[in-house]
Every structure is written in C-alpha cells, then in structure tokens.
C-alpha cells in the first residue's frame, strides 16, 4: 500500500535560517506528490506539488523536487520567516488507478520559527 | 471563488449521541472527500465521492458511520452512536475528476465526552 514518512517535529529554527523537512514515500504506480501547510486555526492549504520524476514544485519561496530514485520529496526554503510557523504535511496520490484518489498523508511536521 | 464550507466548526457531544457534519464543496467540483484527522496525525481518507456515487468507502466504519451526497453537491457525514475515540477533526475536501489537487475546508472539531 501507500505510505508517507516525514521527519518528526517540532522543528525549531531562527528567522532567516535554511529549512529542510524530509519526506520519503512508498507507493505502487506513479504517484503525484504534495506538500500541504496548516497554519494555526486554519484548514489545510496546498503549498506545492510535483506530478512526475525530477519535477520541482515551488511556491512562496518553498521548493521540493520529486526524486524517484530515492523516493523522496524533501521540502526546502532558503530563509524562513516567523510567518512560516505552521504544520507541514507531505502527501501523495497514486495515479495508477486513474481518477481522483484519496490523499495519503504523513504525520505532519510542526515548524516553529523564532524571531 | 468561495472555498469549501463546513459546519459546524466545533461540536461537543456526549458518547452514544448522534452527530452530523455538513460540507459544501467548491462550485463545479464533482469529487468530494471526507477525511479524519486525529491529534498529531495526518488526515486519513474515510470516503470518496465522484458526483453522487461513493467510489471508495473502504475505510469508513460502516457500523456507526454513514455518509451521503445528494444531487452530487453537498454532503453529510453522520456518526451514530458516537464513541470517545471519535474525538477528532473531520475534514472535507473537493476537486475535479481526473485532476489530483484537492481543496480542503476548515474542518469540524468533534469532542465526545
């Protein structure tokens, strides 16, 4: 079956530090990969996605590259801000069956940015 | 464009009581999903609809949970009777068939006492 493993938090960084949140996956077929973000008191928001190997998703200064050889989709940002404090979820959809399947999520990583 | 709407946002009930959650998807979205999110965990799929048809309900505990999507738009998720372990956030998401991006509502936080 499908599974997503991401680094456990909380991850605490100072403002302007470099961020990496690791994510690896197991899937049958050819999944699409996602990062969702959940700010305090808000719903899940799509941050970025990649649909095939070597694709790079990017948004709001965040990037992640779909690495099929290492089954990874690590999230990076060069300089974090206090406003990036949130819970980040790595997720996948298995496209082998066609249609719009349900997402498989990791457990989430709580990111805390200190001024 | 309005987002996915869910109500209520919060619900507190006593165990063995029934409870229902409502979801209105983004206009034009024909797929609808219900997810369960336990504290400190990622969401887990309960049921997936394409239009009014439940195409994947394999993770829905059918002894106490039920769902419907009348006319292929709004959806209701019901629990009867609720148990202590049902305390969680219930998320609704919508999207379009053959696309893989899902848009989430704010969720309903259920507390069972």
């Amino acid at each position: 079956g499908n599974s997503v493993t991401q680094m456990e938090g909380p991850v605490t960084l100072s403002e302007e530090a470099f961020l990496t949140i690791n994510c690896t996956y197991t899937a049958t077929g050819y999944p699409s990969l996602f990062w969702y973000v959940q700010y305090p008191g808000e719903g899940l928001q799509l941050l970025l996605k990649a649909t095939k190997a070597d694709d790079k998703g990017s948004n709001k200064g965040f990037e992640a590259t779909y690495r099929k050889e290492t089954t990874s989709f690590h999230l990076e940002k060069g300089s974090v801000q206090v406003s990036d404090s949130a819970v980040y979820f790595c997720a996948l959809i298995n496209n082998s069956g066609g249609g719009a399947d349900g997402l498989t999520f990791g457990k989430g990583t709580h990111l805390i940015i200190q001024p | 464009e309005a987002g996915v709407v869910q109500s209520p946002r919060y619900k507190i009930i006593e165990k063995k009581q029934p409870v229902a959650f409502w979801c209105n998807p983004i206009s034009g979205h024909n797929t609808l999903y219900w997810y369960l999110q336990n504290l400190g965990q990622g969401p887990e799929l309960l049921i997936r609809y394409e239009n009014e048809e439940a195409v994947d309900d394999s993770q829905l505990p059918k002894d106490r949970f039920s769902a419907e999507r009348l006319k292929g738009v709004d959806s209701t998720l019901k629990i009867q009777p609720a148990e202590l372990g049902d305390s969680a956030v219930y998320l609704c998401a919508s999207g379009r068939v053959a696309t893989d991006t899902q848009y989430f509502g704010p969720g309903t936080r259920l507390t069972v006492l």
Side-chain angles (χ1 to χ4, degrees):
Chain A
N2 300 330
S3 68
V4 175
T5 302
Q6 58 182 110
M7 61 191 295
E8 294 188 13
V11 173
T12 303
L13 295 172
S14 298
E15 205 166 20
E16 300 184 2
F18 184 87
L19 168 71
T20 300
I21 300 178
N22 290 337
C23 171
T24 58
Y25 67 90
T26 302
T28 56
Y30 305 95
S32 294
L33 303 175
F34 304 81
W35 278 99
Y36 279 82
V37 59
Q38 191 169 34
Y39 297 103
E42 299 185 15
L44 281 165
Q45 301 176 24
L46 177 65
L47 181 59
L48 53 85
K49 66 182 234 187
T51 58
K52 62 182 187 298
D54 299 325
D55 270 1
K56 178 186 286 187
S58 61
N59 187 24
K60 299 182 181 180
F62 291 88
E63 294 183 339
T65 300
Y66 190 143
R67 301 289 187 197
K68 193 170 188 292
E69 64 277 13
T70 54
T71 61
S72 65
F73 194 54
H74 304 323
L75 182 67
E76 296 182 337
K77 186 174 185 181
S79 177
V80 292
Q81 305 300 313
V82 172
S83 58
D84 293 327
S85 298
V87 181
Y88 292 80
F89 292 92
C90 186
L92 68 83
I93 280 182
N94 194 324
N95 292 316
S96 63
D101 293 343
L103 287 157
T104 298
F105 285 88
K107 292 186 176 182
T109 301
H110 186 192
L111 176 65
I112 301 169
I113 307 301
Q114 296 177 334
Chain B
E1 175 180 80
V4 176
V5 179
Q6 291 188 247
S7 69
R9 292 293 309 276
Y10 304 91
K11 188 73 175 179
I12 301 173
I13 61 172
E14 295 191 347
K15 63 181 180 181
K16 302 185 181 179
Q17 295 299 305
V19 63
F21 314 124
W22 175 79
C23 173
N24 178 245
I26 292 172
S27 178
H29 283 190
N30 43 16
T31 60
L32 185 145
Y33 311 77
W34 283 102
Y35 290 85
L36 165 68
Q37 185 177 17
N38 286 307
L39 187 64
Q41 303 293 316
E44 299 174 6
L45 181 69
L46 289 172
I47 190 168
R48 170 168 68 97
Y49 283 92
E50 287 184 12
N51 299 304
E52 65 275 9
E53 181 182 0
V55 295
D56 182 0
D57 63 355
S58 58
Q59 301 304 311
L60 189 72
K62 299 180 184 65
D63 56 336
R64 297 184 300 108
F65 286 66
S66 65
E68 60 182 10
R69 190 182 185 199
L70 300 176
K71 300 181 181 179
V73 182
D74 294 359
S75 178
T76 303
L77 178 68
K78 298 179 181 178
I79 309 175
Q80 182 170 12
E83 297 178 351
L84 295 177
D86 296 331
S87 295
V89 176
Y90 293 81
L91 297 168
C92 180
S94 70
R96 291 191 172 91
V97 173
T99 67
D100 54 17
T101 299
Q102 298 177 24
Y103 299 87
F104 284 80
T108 296
R109 182 177 297 276
L110 173 67
T111 301
V112 182
L113 302 175

